[in-house]
Amino acid sequence: MLYQRRMRLPHVEDPTLNGVPLERMMFSLAADGITIDATKPTTSTQDMPGRDGQLDLTLEDPTGAAYMGNRAITLNLYAIGGEDDILAAKTRLAALAGTIVTLSWRSLPGEYRGRMSLGAWADKWAGPRQIATLVTVSIDAHPYLIGRGRSIALKTGANTIHVKGNRPCWPTWTLTPAANAKTVSIKDAHGHTLAVASTTAITGRISIITDPDHRELRVNGNLMAPTLESDYFPLPPGVHTLALTGCAGILTYRPLTLI
């Protein structure tokens, strides 16, 4: 007896906007597909009398790289069907215009994130009936792919961790103070310290967000400031040693990848 086995085709994930496949939004990529423009480093130089060339005043991240500017991402989309279907597709897509969206597909190590703008609609007609529409979607995107959140449990004392991605990322710390601890601190191997001090024992959960856009430190839900010697330091990619004093906790971060 002859047996036949059906060959499994590879699963190809459709590009998604805010986690929703374009197909579910009743759109498909046109022939021009997706264009991701280059991102340029933000540099600064200054002429100095008495020396050749220019003085490089560029701010650098912990890896020695200049900080990168945004990049433009363009999606060329079309929708086909009856007029009611096309109108529903237009309405759903237009609701995202002006908002911050995420874009991802296939095996990318993260998602692009940026503010979306919508181009003009190019409607196609067959006689008196509309049969398709084309549109260009633009995203003013963060230069890096933002990966899924990762969490690492940390103990009091030395901890060795491995940070993914290829660019420094900004962690969130959730710490539990030790009994009777008046000072809680995190130190890396590069001379950075992030500490909270009190005249009495610190109680309750300590939550520290280091992201420059949403930076805050809370103890038991109350806003506080770190010590003057503290630094909200990022985590470069690779292996790190972190020393926790007066606490244990959880480190959460989203790896950043430049491609």
Side-chain angles (χ1 to χ4, degrees), residues 3-9:
Y3 291 92
Q4 292 182 336
R5 299 181 63 184
R6 179 177 297 176
M7 182 178 68
R8 292 183 178 180
L9 296 176

Side-chain angles (χ1 to χ4, degrees), residues 108-177:
L108 285 179
E111 60 191 18
Y112 288 109
R113 178 180 295 173
R115 197 167 297 277
M116 189 190 104
S117 58
L118 198 62
W121 297 102
D123 295 334
K124 303 298 179 182
W125 298 77
R129 296 183 180 179
Q130 184 182 7
I131 59 172
T133 191
L134 293 88
V135 69
T136 298
V137 171
S138 300
I139 303 174
D140 183 25
H142 188 277
Y144 309 135
L145 285 159
I146 303 172
R148 293 183 178 180
R150 296 171 177 265
S151 296
I152 303 171
L154 303 173
K155 65 181 187 300
T156 303
N159 298 264
T160 300
I161 65 170
H162 185 199
V163 176
K164 303 293 185 179
N166 64 7
R167 292 285 168 156
C169 60
W170 296 96
T172 295
W173 311 90
T174 303
L175 307 175
T176 302

Side-chain angles (χ1 to χ4, degrees), residues 18 72 99 175 221 239 241 246:
N18 287 351
T99 68
L175 307 175
V239 178
T241 298

Side-chain angles (χ1 to χ4, degrees), residues 178-243:
N180 301 318
K182 295 182 180 180
T183 301
V184 168
S185 69
I186 309 163
K187 295 183 180 180
D188 68 4
H190 306 287
H192 301 109
T193 300
L194 180 54
V196 181
S198 175
T199 57
T200 59
I202 301 174
T203 59
R205 189 180 69 171
I206 301 172
S207 176
I208 306 172
I209 301 174
T210 64
D211 184 346
D213 294 333
H214 310 283
R215 185 166 289 170
E216 69 175 24
L217 189 158
R218 291 181 180 270
V219 178
N220 208 19
N222 299 310
L223 280 172
M224 289 189 64
T227 61
L228 291 176
E229 299 80 11
S230 290
D231 185 14
Y232 288 99
F233 57 88
L235 296 175
V239 178
H240 296 270
T241 298
L242 301 171

Side-chain angles (χ1 to χ4, degrees), residues 49-63:
R51 73 184 305 272
D52 296 319
Q54 291 182 314
L55 182 64
D56 189 351
L57 302 177
T58 301
L59 292 177
E60 298 178 343
D61 68 22
T63 67

